[in-house]
Amino acid sequence: MGHGFDRHLFAMRRLAAARGRHGAAVELFDDRAYAAINHNRLSTSTLGSDTFDLFAFAPVVADGNGISYNISNRRCWMVASDWRGGPAGGDFLENVVASVSDLRDVLDA
């Protein structure tokens, strides 16, 4: 339930850089913990609509995956993406397909 805290921190970092600010509050952005929470290997986006048939969401890091999904009144679908030669293939996609199959079995029961 982070409620988009990353967006607020991103804005603060950009404002501090634009204003040439330094100091204790800005040191947060140089901390390795901050770098770790900003390395999102799984980045997702949804668009709940019957209007769009397809859209994709790209990964935000080179060793990550992007997943776009849409849950509408008629259907549910997703698109997985990665950087060329990245991790979206193989085990990752097999596990996504298996998970979706498990969910369908639950909903059908």
Side-chain angles (χ1 to χ4, degrees), residues 7-106:
R7 293 165 184 87
H8 301 290
L9 290 173
F10 175 79
M12 289 171 57
R13 181 172 55 103
R14 294 297 300 255
L15 285 170
R19 295 176 180 170
R21 299 275 167 91
H22 304 288
V26 180
E27 288 176 9
L28 162 72
F29 306 123
D30 295 327
D31 192 283
R32 65 183 181 168
Y34 182 76
I37 66 169
N38 282 288
H39 188 86
N40 299 300
R41 292 188 64 203
L42 181 60
S43 188
T44 65
S45 183
T46 185
L47 183 62
S49 172
D50 286 323
T51 305
F52 295 95
D53 286 331
L54 186 64
F55 77 101
F57 189 73
V60 295
V61 294
D63 62 339
N65 298 102
I67 301 284
S68 59
Y69 61 98
N70 186 347
I71 301 170
S72 71
N73 292 331
R74 298 181 318 215
R75 63 185 171 196
C76 173
W77 56 257
M78 69 176 56
V79 174
S81 62
D82 69 359
W83 295 98
R84 188 173 294 188
D91 291 343
F92 178 78
L93 283 180
E94 289 174 19
N95 286 310
V96 168
V97 170
S99 297
V100 170
S101 179
D102 289 347
L103 285 171
R104 180 163 191 144
D105 291 345
V106 169

